[in-house]
Amino acid sequence: MDCPICNGSRWKSVAVNGVERLTRCDCWRNVVKERYLAESRIPVKFAKAELSNYRPDTDSQRDALRLAKKFVEAFPAEQKGLVFYGPTGVGKTHLAVGLLRTVIRDKGARGFFFQTTELLRLVRETYNRSVDETEMEVLRPVLEADVLVLDDLGVEKTSEWVQETLGLVINTRYNARRATIVTSNLRDPIDNTDMNSFMVQLGVRSRSRLLEMCEWVEVQGTDIRDVERVTAAAKSGHLPEPPERITKKGPLPGKSGGMARARLKDSGTQFELNWSGGKAGSK
Ligand SMILES: [Zn+2]
């Protein structure tokens, strides 16, 4: 149905100092937001994930939700992103999607969701001669989005190419002061030889950038899948052993970033790959 204000032209006239001017009709913004939402690449699996239906049961989940809401309220003034890291099944992706959808819908932001493995696959595909798209065409929305969700960072087996490509994304967004929301199962321990740490998987430089450009929240909780397993078992009359709760608390970076960075300095050479900051580009 056509808009009653503009009859579908998407323009309306307003008087500015007594002079009639054409301006975008309110309905145009809604059309744009709908288009942005449709193009945001939010997976169907998370089509209903909102901040309003995220149910935290641990303090760290409450913290993560509070920071996600704070980000949305402050946007676009807030350019500092968020890193939600911790075990699988604690709702990190739900939070990131809820934040992304709200910021597109309420603030008209241009935002994209990329599963990290999928993003790397798309970039890799452009090296195939039968694919017309260039590496930069794939990366442009990733680099230029007002808000980018990088989901499941670190799930891809690391390599120099993976580190360079993710490094390009992180560094470009850092320089442009664009907000990046990361979810990851990686850990950030003091022992930075841990194979599943940000340091080893991303390299010292990208981790350090992420520390500067994002607030980090270690999200802990009861794994949803464990709860479902227990619920299903209870229904069938068989109660299994209670799931092992993950209580290990790693050091919290972010606020204590100064110390974390000092630590980085000491061990910096170990993982430095002399990343030039632009090798993965097509220039
Ligand atoms: Zn209209």
Side-chain angles (χ1 to χ4, degrees), residues 2-12 24-29:
D2 276 348
C3 165
I5 303 169
C6 67
N7 294 319
S9 73
R10 310 285 183 225
W11 293 92
K12 65 175 181 182
R24 284 297 189 182
C25 181
D26 309 346
C27 70
W28 178 76
R29 276 170 227 295

